[in-house]
């Protein structure tokens, strides 16, 4: 694959490497000015450590980790930038969100609520399955979505969602130009309260968007135990998916077929939409699992990678959607002062891919890191240490460069009055 991407370019070379092979990794990094690290999150610290040791900048699209943050002091001493979360979400969402927040703060405003949503889905003209979803990134990320639970803040109340309920904690979000989508909470929103300068915010949510119906079906997949990585299944590759589901169902659940027993356990109509979706997905199939993994998650990953591929004739859709409300006190006013100016800002990025391999997801994940790499090499970003793209020195030039590549946000600013005030804002009156 790498060789095909390089395609004989005089400035490119495809090299096979195991990142755990320390000597080989050292030699490759030694010949670089900057490393763009697209390895899985669990492995990025291996590369980051070697980049710091050799004094090389590193950019990654993955989430930052405690190990990366712990390298910040050493990176500063070596004059090295470790820039993570530089993809779509995390990445574009952070940069566009911080641009809005800093703008409000610069105008003397106070952010009352901040909601940030990301999505990668098929375009509405490219639905090819009843789940209205397709794999445009790693299938493992789809299978394990929600496995860490979630935390967010709504109307001043902390919400902690266990992994068993992530896909039931949903709400509608209206996306301009797309329509009504369904949101569910994504990981721990609260870690961004300090990073975004939102210490007094009433609502703080990072979420994912899906077309309605996905969450209801995926919740039942989770309930069946198919996203569990902890239990090893002997001879998994030889077993059928129906056999795997049978193993996961409680013994006391009766029925003449595995489908009937699953429907009874899940308390679903055997002929209802969700059961039809599960049948289409293939979890009751007598076909062998056929992959080399050992857990139910491994089996499910193989299944969704097979069934939910985006066809060559279809195109995908990427969305970043922000909703922010703020108030602007004048001298001597506090946040309860009647008549204070308040507003809601809605900023949305909608990008459609092309048919074939040129997906919107590939561009949206890769472009921010590529542009940041160019800016670092040109000396236009001179930060050092460990960072995510919430610094103006990063997000301003990158967003400007992205706009030149037609990655532009639409924006609507709406004055808030007593008639159209969100619930959490009305409570502040």
């Amino acid at each position: 694959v790498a060789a095909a991407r390089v395609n004989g370019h005089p400035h490119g070379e495809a090299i096979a490497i195991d990142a755990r092979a320390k000597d080989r990794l050292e030699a490759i990094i030694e010949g670089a000015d900057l490393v763009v690290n697209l390895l899985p999150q669990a492995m990025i610290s291996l590369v980051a450590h070697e980049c710091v040791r050799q004094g090389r900048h590193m950019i990654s699209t993955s989430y930052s980790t405690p190990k990366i943050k712990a390298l910040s002091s050493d990176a500063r001493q070596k004059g090295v930038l470790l820039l993570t979360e530089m993809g779509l979400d995390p990445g574009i969402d952070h940069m566009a969100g911080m641009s809005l927040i800093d703008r409000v703060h610069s105008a003397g405003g106070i952010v009352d609520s901040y909601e940030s949503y990301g999505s990668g889905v098929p375009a509405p003209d490219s639905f090819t399955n009843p789940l209205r979803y397709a794999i445009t990134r790693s299938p493992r990320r789809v299978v394990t979505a929600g496995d860490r639970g979630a935390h967010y803040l709504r109307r001043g109340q902390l919400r902690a969602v266990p992994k068993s309920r992530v896909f039931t904690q949903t709400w509608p979000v209206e996306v301009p130009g797309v329509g009504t989508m369904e949101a569910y909470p994504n990981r721990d929103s609260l870690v961004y309260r300090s990073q975004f300068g939102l210490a007094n915010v009433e609502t703080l949510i990072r979420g994912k968007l899906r077309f309605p119906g996905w969450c209801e079906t995926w919740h039942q997949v989770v309930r069946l135990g198919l996203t569990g990585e902890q239990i090893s299944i002997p001879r998994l590759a030889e077993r059928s998916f129906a056999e795997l589901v049978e193993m996961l169902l409680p013994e006391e659940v009766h029925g003449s077929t595995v489908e009937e027993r699953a429907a009874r356990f899940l308390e679903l109509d055997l002929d209802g939409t969700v059961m039809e979706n599960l049948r289409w997905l293939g979890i009751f199939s007598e076909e062998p699992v056929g992959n080399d993994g050992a857990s139910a998650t491994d089996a499910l990953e193989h299944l969704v990678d097979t069934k939910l591929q985006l066809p060559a004739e279809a195109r995908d859709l990427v969305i970043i959607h922000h909703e922010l409300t703020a108030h602007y006190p004048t001298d001597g006013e506090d946040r309860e002062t009647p008549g204070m100016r308040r507003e809601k800002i809605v900023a949305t990025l909608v990008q459609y891919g092309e048919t074939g391999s040129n997906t919107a997801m590939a561009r949206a994940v890769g472009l921010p890191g590529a542009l940041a790499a160019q800016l670092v090499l040109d000396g236009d970003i001179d930060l050092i240490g460990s960072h995510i793209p919430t610094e103006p020195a990063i997000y301003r030039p990158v967003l400007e460069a992205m706009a030149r590549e037609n990655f532009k946000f639409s924006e609507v600013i709406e004055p808030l009055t007593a008639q159209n005030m969100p619930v959490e804002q009305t409570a502040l009156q």
Side-chain angles (χ1 to χ4, degrees), residues 30-285:
E30 186 178 11
D33 296 309
L34 178 146
V35 174
V36 179
N37 183 354
L38 301 180
L39 292 176
Q41 186 177 10
M43 302 180 71
I44 63 172
S45 61
L46 294 173
V47 176
H49 186 275
E50 186 58 31
C51 284
V52 171
R53 193 184 73 82
Q54 295 198 34
R56 304 294 191 267
H57 301 300
M58 186 199 80
I59 294 173
S60 171
T61 59
S62 293
Y63 281 99
S64 184
T65 68
K67 290 182 178 180
I68 297 290
K69 293 173 184 175
L71 287 170
S72 188
S73 178
D74 290 343
R76 286 194 298 270
Q77 290 180 14
K78 287 291 190 78
V80 167
L81 171 64
L82 300 177
L83 178 56
T84 54
E85 306 191 19
M86 202 63 202
L88 171 64
D89 59 342
I92 297 175
D93 57 341
H94 292 346
M95 294 188 288
M98 280 306 303
S99 178
L100 292 177
I101 292 166
D102 284 347
R103 194 172 80 199
V104 168
H105 288 168
S106 296
I110 298 172
V111 176
D112 296 309
S113 71
Y114 174 74
E115 300 178 41
S116 174
Y117 301 99
S119 184
V121 290
D125 60 11
S126 296
F127 292 150
T128 58
N129 63 66
L131 297 179
R132 299 198 290 179
Y133 188 75
I135 300 293
T136 54
R137 299 180 76 170
S138 162
R140 192 73 174 193
R141 293 184 65 171
V142 175
V143 170
T144 59
D147 66 348
R148 300 182 186 180
H151 294 82
Y152 63 95
L153 188 69
R154 193 189 292 278
R155 296 190 290 275
Q157 296 295 314
L158 172 64
R159 311 304 301 176
V161 186
K163 64 181 181 180
S164 60
R165 296 208 312 269
V166 167
F167 295 100
T168 65
Q169 198 75 27
T170 64
W171 55 89
V173 171
E174 194 68 26
V175 179
V178 178
T180 303
M181 301 192 75
E182 194 170 49
Y184 67 87
N186 182 27
R187 300 195 183 202
D188 185 1
S189 301
L190 303 184
V191 300
Y192 295 101
R193 184 158 45 180
S194 60
Q195 292 175 345
F196 287 4
L198 298 174
N200 299 313
V201 75
E202 296 286 323
T203 293
L204 177 58
I205 298 172
R206 289 186 79 244
K208 289 286 190 181
L209 298 176
R210 296 290 181 262
F211 287 109
W214 167 266
C215 291
E216 183 182 13
T217 298
W218 202 253
H219 173 60
Q220 305 305 334
V221 172
V222 173
R223 288 187 65 200
L224 285 171
L226 288 168
T227 60
E229 297 183 282
Q230 295 78 21
I231 302 175
S232 179
I233 309 296
R235 306 191 325 276
L236 176 64
E238 305 168 19
R239 301 184 185 277
S240 69
F241 286 99
E243 187 179 1
L244 175 59
V245 171
E246 187 71 79
M247 293 172 65
L248 295 169
L249 288 171
E251 284 188 70
E252 63 270 17
V253 178
H254 301 292
S256 59
T257 67
V258 65
E259 288 187 31
E260 288 184 14
R261 288 188 287 279
R264 185 163 296 172
F265 169 67
L266 300 173
E267 300 178 300
L268 294 173
D269 182 348
L270 187 61
D271 298 318
T273 300
V274 174
M275 283 297 293
E276 286 294 332
N277 289 346
L278 297 177
R279 287 190 196 96
W280 178 88
L281 189 58
I283 68 169
F284 305 124
S285 168

Side-chain angles (χ1 to χ4, degrees), residues 343-362:
E343 68 181 14
K344 178 179 181 178
I345 305 173
V346 176
T348 308
L349 171 73
V350 174
Q351 282 283 318
Y352 288 92
E354 302 173 4
T355 56
S357 61
N358 190 17
T359 63
M361 179 61 72

Side-chain angles (χ1 to χ4, degrees), residues 374-396:
Q374 186 66 60
L375 290 163
V376 170
L377 292 172
D378 289 344
D380 295 325
I381 295 178
D382 58 2
L383 292 176
I384 55 176
S386 176
H387 294 273
I388 64 172
T390 54
E391 306 268 356
I394 299 171
Y395 74 69
R396 284 175 182 164

